[in-house]
Amino acid sequence: MVDKSAKRNVRASSSGRATLDDIAAKLGISSITVSRAFRNPGKVAEELRERIIKVADELGYVRNRAASTLASARSMNIAVIIPSLSNAVFVDILNGIDKILRPRGYQMLLGVSHYSSEEEDALVRAYLAFDPDGIILPSLNYREATRHLLEKTGVPVVHLMELSDQPHVHCVGFSQEAAGKTMTQHLLAKGYKRIAFVASQLDSRTLARGRGYRDALVEAGLYDQKRELMVPDPSSIALGGRLLQRLLQQAPDTDAAFFCNDDLAQGALFECARQQISVPAQLAVAGFNDLSASASTVPSLTTIATPRFDIGVQGANMLLSLIEHQKVNRSSIDLGFELKPRESA
């Protein structure tokens, strides 16, 4: 009587590709243990897992994803779509996601939408063809067609950087509006009365910060529309300098400028140095996100620190709970933000 499983192993080995059985035979352990080391690394002792990986590398083993999907009914792929790879904010988020997914054997299918809802929709449709176990999206603001598609497919979805009170919408982030309002109130408390808001890119997060700024000034009776400067251009340090020039042309008596992110604010500080504008004596400058260089600018930049890495970690953990049909105690997790008052304001 011929062992059918043995025949399958012979066929796999005859293709020239190493198999789980080849690794198991060399180590004198079961194929099930080898398989578990790749699919559920946390369930295999670290020393043994390292030996398995070493032998797998020696034999040139490449995991057969298609076979794994058939065996487990999971693709072990997570689609992650972000607006930009050049923005350090999203790089920090990706690092947090990777910290959780990689040890669990998941791979990221990474897509970059370039802040385009049309491109984001196209990426969602493309990645759904790979049957991902879950999807991570950078915000709650996307096309209705995309929303309808995700609802119909039933793939678990987690949104990052924003919050929602809608039922069955899972998200990890903080209140962008509250953060924008907090910075504006800080500037008011420091005695500034002619406060501007300068923004670019104009995604949903930036617009929410603008609403927070506006609410704070309306409540204080100091809102002036001419101090809002908002352009759709991609954010950059160079753009920050140019926007400061435009702001001072249209509202020369401005005494504080709140920039929607630190890139723009850093550019404004450079421009102030060029024009010999004393910061904060003549003009206070504030940013958002607390990028790595912001504490080292001259003067150091007042900003809002956002927990990007932790948002990635918590978002990935939430998604894995949804994939594994575990109870999620909160569908919306608010990780908050922190005002970083420094020398510039």
Side-chain angles (χ1 to χ4, degrees):
M1 186 174 179
V2 178
D3 184 339
K4 292 182 179 180
S5 64
K7 289 181 70 176
R8 285 196 297 271
N9 291 338
V10 169
R11 283 200 298 272
S13 295
S14 67
S15 69
R17 295 178 60 177
T19 67
L20 294 176
D21 290 338
D22 295 331
I23 300 170
K26 186 160 185 176
L27 289 169
I29 60 177
S30 71
S31 298
I32 292 175
T33 300
V34 177
S35 177
R36 187 178 294 122
F38 288 106
R39 292 172 55 191
N40 296 292
K43 294 184 178 181
V44 178
E46 184 177 354
E47 185 273 335
L48 177 57
R49 183 165 58 84
E50 289 176 354
R51 288 168 54 206
I52 290 170
I53 292 172
K54 181 179 179 181
V55 170
D57 289 342
E58 290 173 355
L59 296 177
Y61 172 74
V62 178
R63 187 178 174 195
N64 188 326
R65 282 281 179 183
S68 298
T69 300
L70 291 172
S72 65
R74 289 187 186 172
S75 67
M76 302 304 292
N77 291 323
I78 302 294
V80 180
I81 299 173
I82 60 173
S84 169
L85 271 177
S86 62
N87 189 328
V89 169
F90 299 107
V91 174
D92 290 342
I93 289 174
L94 287 176
N95 284 330
I97 294 171
D98 181 68
K99 179 182 178 181
I100 299 304
L101 295 186
R102 188 159 46 87
R104 298 286 293 273
Y106 285 91
Q107 299 292 327
M108 278 194 282
L109 300 175
L110 180 60
V112 182
S113 69
H114 304 288
Y115 294 93
S116 164
S117 59
E118 291 79 8
E119 184 64 22
E120 185 174 60
D121 182 77
L123 286 167
V124 167
R125 292 176 184 277
Y127 287 151
L128 283 174
F130 289 88
D131 195 25
D133 294 326
I135 298 177
I136 294 177
L137 294 173
S139 76
L140 292 154
N141 186 39
Y142 43 86
R143 299 174 77 187
E144 190 58 38
T146 310
R147 191 182 315 278
H148 180 73
L149 178 64
L150 292 171
E151 289 174 354
K152 287 296 183 182
T153 59
V155 175
V157 179
V158 170
H159 310 82
L160 304 182
M161 294 296 285
E162 297 180 55
L163 302 174
S164 172
D165 56 5
Q166 298 178 34
H168 312 301
V169 174
H170 295 88
C171 50
V172 179
F174 60 94
S175 172
Q176 300 277 349
E177 285 191 33
K181 188 171 187 178
T182 294
M183 176 56 80
T184 309
Q185 289 174 332
H186 169 73
L187 295 172
L188 288 168
K190 296 285 284 187
Y192 301 104
K193 298 184 182 301
R194 299 180 298 279
I195 304 169
F197 181 68
V198 184
S200 68
Q201 207 70 71
L202 307 186
D203 57 34
S204 60
R205 294 167 295 277
T206 294
L207 295 176
R209 292 166 206 165
R211 289 194 297 272
Y213 152 85
R214 200 172 301 118
D215 289 346
L217 288 184
V218 167
E219 290 173 9
L222 294 171
Y223 176 68
D224 185 344
Q225 188 175 3
K226 76 172 182 290
R227 298 192 202 283
E228 281 194 31
L229 177 55
M230 304 175 74
V231 299
D233 311 54
S235 179
S236 69
I237 291 175
L239 179 64
R242 294 195 297 271
L243 290 180
L244 179 68
Q245 293 175 5
R246 285 181 56 181
L247 172 66
L248 296 181
Q249 287 172 359
Q250 70 184 44
D253 60 341
T254 297
D255 60 6
F258 171 22
F259 289 83
C260 74
N261 62 51
D262 282 7
D263 284 347
L264 296 180
Q266 290 170 12
L269 289 177
F270 283 126
E271 184 61 26
C272 285
R274 277 191 290 269
Q275 294 193 33
Q276 297 184 327
I277 297 172
S278 177
V279 178
Q282 292 175 266
L283 178 71
V285 175
F288 198 99
N289 276 320
D290 194 25
L291 299 183
S292 58
S294 295
S296 302
T297 57
V298 180
S300 57
L301 181 64
T302 293
T303 186
I304 295 283
T306 55
R308 283 102 57 187
F309 182 81
D310 289 340
I311 286 173
V313 167
Q314 296 266 21
N317 276 325
M318 177 183 282
L319 185 62
L320 292 183
S321 295
L322 294 172
I323 291 170
E324 295 165 5
H325 304 290
Q326 297 176 358
K327 182 179 179 181
V328 176
N329 293 326
R330 290 179 294 164
S331 61
S332 184
I333 299 177
D334 185 353
L335 294 183
F337 54 87
E338 181 182 359
L339 174 69
K340 292 284 188 179
R342 298 194 181 111
E343 296 169 343
S344 69

